[in-house]
Amino acid sequence: MSNKEGRADPRPAPAGSLAHRVPDLGALELLLAVARLGSLGGAAREVGITQPAASSRIRSMERRLGVALVDRSPRGSRLTDAGALVTDWARRIVEAAEAFDAGAQALRDRRDSRLRVAASMTIAEYLLPGWLLALRAERPDTAVSLLAGNSAAVAERLLADEADLGFVEGLSVPAGLDSAVVAHDRLIVVTAPAHPWARRRRPLAAGELAATPLILREEGSGTRQVLEAALGGVARPLIELSSTTAVKAAAVSGAGPAVLSELAVGEELAMRRLVRVPVHDVSLARDLRAVWPTGHRPAGPARDLLSLTRG
């Protein structure tokens, strides 16, 4: 509001939230520039706006505060007594904002200096190495630690704030986590070449696979979850092992048939150390997911790694 002489209305601004009563930082920085330079045009150039925009911003600040701040004349711009007092307060606010910004940057620097990744075994062994190499090219100063385990362990680490980003292979997203699909995979049945299944002409039926003891990952692994869901019940373990590499080695040795990720056995199939056994009427496809605590979207290096998985 202005009075008849065009001066700012001296009445106080109406009550409300602090954000509605206190000018924003941009306006306060402009006022400080006017005080330092004695020119509204020079202040406008310093803060990167036009002179009309600077005049409008000063008038808006005067209306908000209910006092005149700047006397304008052909010789330049001079602070009123009230303007000089407001400028002194503005300087303290801007200095506090600069300290706030420096502190926030320090927190970002500390966050960006490390990345803790938790991943289920297949992703950790066959996909993450390539993703992490790409991340290192973008963020050479970020130290990365990788914690490999089954999908249940990944969820536990994320919920305990022991990891910044996780990757899982199961059918569903663990409770308390948000997710994004980053890749697709398929489980396949494999045996050593000497196993009778390696020479069979007809695909395995679901019932035959369910009735046969298999070399399996441990309970809680995404591979085990997908297999048992596909079979409609609990798979029969011949041996339970805690890593994809161990399951693969046992199958290559001839210990029995195994169910493994297609990602994990490409070389063994090409070299005929393992043979793929066709399966009829069993859906073993699965999504591979990045996961993080609900409501906490990945930031910094975790966000960049997530982006690289979709490249």
Side-chain angles (χ1 to χ4, degrees):
M1 299 288 293
S2 298
N3 58 23
K4 292 180 180 178
E5 291 75 33
R7 308 288 290 171
D9 193 324
R11 290 175 296 177
S17 70
L18 195 61
H20 289 91
R21 300 197 309 273
V22 176
D24 61 51
L25 279 174
L28 296 179
E29 288 178 318
L30 175 63
L31 183 64
L32 291 175
V34 172
R36 185 171 62 256
L37 300 173
S39 164
L40 188 61
R45 287 191 295 274
E46 180 171 291
V47 301
I49 60 176
T50 65
Q51 183 165 339
S55 295
S56 176
R57 188 170 289 184
I58 291 293
R59 286 195 298 271
S60 176
M61 184 162 43
E62 289 175 330
R63 287 195 299 270
R64 175 170 291 190
L65 296 175
V67 294
L69 302 174
V70 178
D71 276 332
R72 305 161 186 82
S73 73
R75 295 186 300 276
S77 299
R78 181 183 63 84
L79 296 179
T80 65
D81 290 343
L85 185 59
V86 170
T87 298
D88 186 47
W89 297 336
R91 187 172 293 108
R92 296 181 220 172
I93 294 172
V94 170
E95 288 172 354
E98 289 171 345
F100 180 93
D101 181 58
Q105 182 60 52
L107 288 175
R108 289 192 295 270
D109 290 343
R110 186 172 68 181
R111 177 203 64 194
D112 293 355
S113 68
R114 66 169 188 172
L115 173 61
R116 303 167 300 166
V117 181
S120 52
M121 299 302 298
T122 300
I123 297 174
E125 292 178 312
Y126 299 100
L127 292 177
L128 260 173
W131 295 339
L132 293 179
L133 280 174
L135 180 68
R136 183 168 182 79
E138 292 190 3
R139 287 182 171 270
D141 297 328
T142 297
V144 180
S145 61
L146 172 59
L147 305 166
N150 62 36
S151 295
V154 170
E156 290 172 6
R157 289 189 181 278
L158 284 167
L159 295 173
D161 194 27
E162 295 173 358
D164 305 304
L165 185 65
F167 295 92
V168 297
E169 308 162 13
L171 285 173
S172 59
V173 180
L177 302 180
D178 288 337
S179 73
V181 174
V182 297
H184 303 283
D185 187 25
R186 183 178 301 277
L187 300 181
I188 61 174
V189 180
V190 294
T191 69
H195 191 277
W197 281 4
R199 297 183 295 276
R200 65 181 292 141
R201 297 182 182 277
R202 290 183 303 166
L204 284 170
E208 189 173 2
L209 185 61
T212 302
L214 304 169
I215 305 169
L216 297 174
R217 285 287 308 280
E218 79 286 4
E219 291 186 10
S221 72
T223 299
R224 183 78 169 262
Q225 291 172 10
V226 171
L227 174 62
E228 292 187 340
L231 296 179
V234 177
R236 295 185 60 191
L238 174 66
I239 310 171
E240 287 185 326
L241 298 169
S242 61
S243 78
T244 299
T245 299
V247 172
K248 184 165 59 173
V252 168
S253 74
V259 178
L260 285 164
S261 164
E262 211 167 24
L263 295 169
V265 294
E267 180 180 345
E268 287 74 18
L269 293 175
M271 301 294 293
R272 291 287 297 176
R273 292 197 295 269
L274 288 174
V275 176
R276 179 171 183 162
V277 182
V279 180
H280 175 66
D281 249 3
V282 180
S283 176
L284 294 175
R286 62 178 177 175
D287 293 328
L288 307 182
R289 298 175 180 273
V291 288
W292 56 89
T294 299
H296 297 274
R297 186 76 182 177
R303 178 196 59 226
D304 291 350
L305 178 58
L306 179 59
S307 177
L308 287 168
T309 65
R310 299 166 170 178

